[in-house]
Amino acid sequence: MSTQSQFELSNPPSDAISAVKFAPRSQKLLVASWDKNVYLYDTSTSGGKFVDTFEHRAPVLDICWSENEEEFYSAGLDWDVRKIDLKSATQTVLSSHTSGVKCLVYSSPLNLLISASWDSTLHIHHISPSATTTPTPSTIPLPSKPFSLSLTPSKLVVAMASRALHIYDLKSLSVLSSQNGSPDVSVQENILTLEPWQRRESSLKFMTRAVACMINDDGYASSSIEGRVAVEWFDPSPESQARKYAFKCHRQTNEQGVDVVYPVNALAFHPIHGTFASGGGDGFVALWDGVSKRRIRQYQRYPASVAALSFSGDGRWLAVAISPGFEDGREGSGNGTVGVFVRELGDGEAKGKAPK
C-alpha cells in the first residue's frame, strides 16, 4: 500500500507490534514488538530508514523517549523497566516488577518515568540527567491490573480492569515519591500510600483498551474492546461532567448485513490541533474533533488490525502500526501482515471542525 503522502517502513518487526513512539522533537521513531526487539527508524528521509535494533529477553510491550532523545525506556514480559542508550546500546535495569510491565510514560517537566505492571502496581522513577545512578523507585499499589497510561503536564490517568480509572496529580506524586523515609513511605519496600486525585468508573460498558490525554490538560479519551470511544473532562463540577459523552466507531457491516464490532486498539492526540486519531481492529484510522463531536476524516483501510498510533512532535506525521488481530476468530484480516506506515498530514488535515 502506498500513496503520495504515505510510505511503509522497510525491515519491519517479525511479530506483532505493541507500541510506536515518535521522538519529542525529531522524526526518529521507535517500534516495540513481541519478537523481543525494539526497532529504531529515521523517518526524515524519503521512504524512511532502518537504523538499529535493541534486543530484549522477552516481548516488549511499551516504550517511551527520554527528554534528550539520546536514550529511551522499555518494558515488557521480562518484568524489567530498562533505560537504553541509543549510541552505545547499553541497557540499564531501573526496576523490576513481579509480572509483565504493560505501560510506560515519561513526564519531561518533572523528570518522572512511570511504569504500570500486571502485578497491579505503578513504579515511580525519578530520572536525573546528571546522576550516575537512579534512586529506587516508589511503588503505588493499584486495585486491579492496568491496561493503559497517559499523562498531561499535571495529571496521570491509569485505566485498569473492572472499568476502573484513577487520576493522579503529578506534582503530588513527584513530591511524595521523592520523600523516602517520610511517614507516607515504607522504607523497606518504598511503598507510597497516595490517594488518587479522582477515582472514576469508565463511561464504557466493556473493557478499556486505550486511554489518551488531551493536550490542553482538560481531559482524556478512552476506548473499549466494543467499538466505542468516550471523551471526558477532569473538572469534577456537574457542568463539566455533563459534557462527557461516548460514541460508536470502528464497526463494519459484513456481507450478511450484520454489524461487526471491532476493538479500538489505539488513541493519539494531535500535538498542535488537539484533535485525536483512533485505530481499530477493522484496519481503519479515523481523525476526530472531540469538542465539536465530529469525525474529521477516515483513511483507507490498512491490510491488518491497527495496533498503535503516534503523532510526531510537530504534528506533521502520523505513524500507524498494523499487526494480525483475532477479531474475526482467525489470525487477522491481513494473513499475518506486520508493518509500520508513516503518513504525512497536509496543512489543516487534522484541524477541528466547527460544531454543526
Side-chain angles (χ1 to χ4, degrees):
M1 177 190 298
S2 64
T3 67
Q4 206 167 21
S5 60
Q6 177 176 271
F7 57 85
E8 184 176 6
L9 295 175
S10 59
N11 299 303
S14 60
D15 203 344
I17 295 170
S18 51
V20 290
K21 297 286 170 63
F22 269 112
R25 294 174 303 278
S26 72
Q27 284 180 244
K28 295 176 185 175
L29 182 70
L30 290 173
V31 179
S33 172
W34 280 75
D35 69 6
K36 305 180 184 179
N37 287 291
V38 174
Y39 295 74
L40 174 65
Y41 301 90
D42 179 2
T43 66
S44 64
T45 60
S46 177
K49 177 185 176 184
F50 168 77
V51 178
D52 206 352
T53 57
F54 303 89
E55 188 174 359
H56 289 61
R57 296 185 303 160
V60 185
L61 299 185
D62 207 0
I63 40 177
C64 63
W65 286 92
S66 68
E67 174 63 23
N68 60 19
E69 299 187 8
E70 296 175 359
E71 300 166 335
F72 70 91
Y73 307 101
S74 67
L77 293 184
D78 63 0
W79 303 1
D80 293 334
V81 177
R82 297 171 182 269
K83 177 178 72 174
I84 300 177
D85 184 277
L86 288 183
K87 291 182 180 178
S88 67
T90 302
Q91 299 192 16
T92 305
V93 176
L94 302 180
S95 73
S96 295
H97 286 266
T98 58
S99 188
V101 186
K102 178 62 173 68
C103 323
L104 284 175
V105 289
Y106 178 72
S107 169
S108 296
L110 297 174
N111 290 320
L112 284 184
L113 175 69
I114 303 168
S115 58
S117 166
W118 289 327
D119 64 11
S120 298
T121 66
L122 299 176
H123 280 187
I124 314 300
H125 310 78
H126 286 261
I127 306 296
S128 174
S130 59
T132 55
T133 60
T134 302
T136 302
S138 297
T139 298
I140 297 180
L142 297 173
S144 53
K145 286 184 178 181
F147 292 150
S148 185
L149 291 180
S150 187
L151 49 71
T152 70
S154 70
K155 306 286 192 304
L156 169 70
V157 179
V158 185
M160 295 170 281
S162 305
R163 298 171 51 239
L165 283 110
H166 280 187
I167 303 170
Y168 292 92
D169 179 84
L170 267 183
K171 191 66 180 292
S172 298
L173 203 62
S174 176
V175 170
L176 285 176
S177 62
S178 66
Q179 294 175 350
N180 292 347
S182 75
D184 294 313
V185 180
S186 163
V187 176
Q188 288 78 18
E189 300 182 14
N190 219 26
I191 296 176
L192 183 66
T193 305
L194 176 65
E195 279 294 306
W197 176 62
Q198 289 185 31
R199 297 173 185 263
R200 293 191 182 183
E201 185 178 85
S202 172
S203 302
L204 304 173
K205 295 180 180 179
F206 292 86
M207 187 177 79
T208 304
R209 182 57 65 91
V211 65
C213 288
M214 300 176 184
I215 63 169
N216 60 5
D217 210 357
D218 276 358
Y220 60 91
S222 60
S223 66
S224 77
I225 60 171
E226 189 249 345
R228 290 178 192 263
V229 169
V231 180
E232 303 193 33
W233 280 261
F234 291 137
D235 182 356
S237 69
E239 296 79 15
S240 183
Q241 290 306 300
R243 298 171 62 197
K244 69 181 181 182
Y245 66 95
F247 61 93
K248 297 178 182 179
C249 54
H250 297 283
R251 297 165 180 238
Q252 305 295 327
T253 303
N254 65 16
E255 295 174 356
Q256 290 74 39
V258 177
D259 192 24
V260 181
V261 180
Y262 293 87
V264 184
N265 297 321
L267 296 171
F269 273 87
H270 191 277
I272 308 299
H273 300 305
T275 53
F276 68 92
S278 65
D282 57 352
F284 283 102
V285 173
L287 290 179
W288 308 89
D289 184 335
V291 176
S292 66
K293 304 181 183 181
R294 299 180 66 183
R295 190 176 78 181
I296 301 169
R297 57 179 39 84
Q298 179 171 277
Y299 296 111
Q300 82 281 0
R301 192 172 197 167
Y302 288 90
S305 174
V306 177
L309 298 168
S310 179
F311 284 106
S312 61
D314 61 6
R316 285 188 55 207
W317 304 89
L318 174 63
V320 179
I322 62 169
S323 296
F326 299 92
E327 293 84 6
D328 297 319
R330 58 183 186 275
E331 190 171 334
S333 57
N335 193 28
T337 302
V338 174
V340 180
F341 295 84
V342 179
R343 171 176 287 277
E344 183 177 14
L345 303 181
D347 292 339
E349 189 170 331
K351 278 187 177 179
K353 291 189 173 185
K356 292 181 179 179

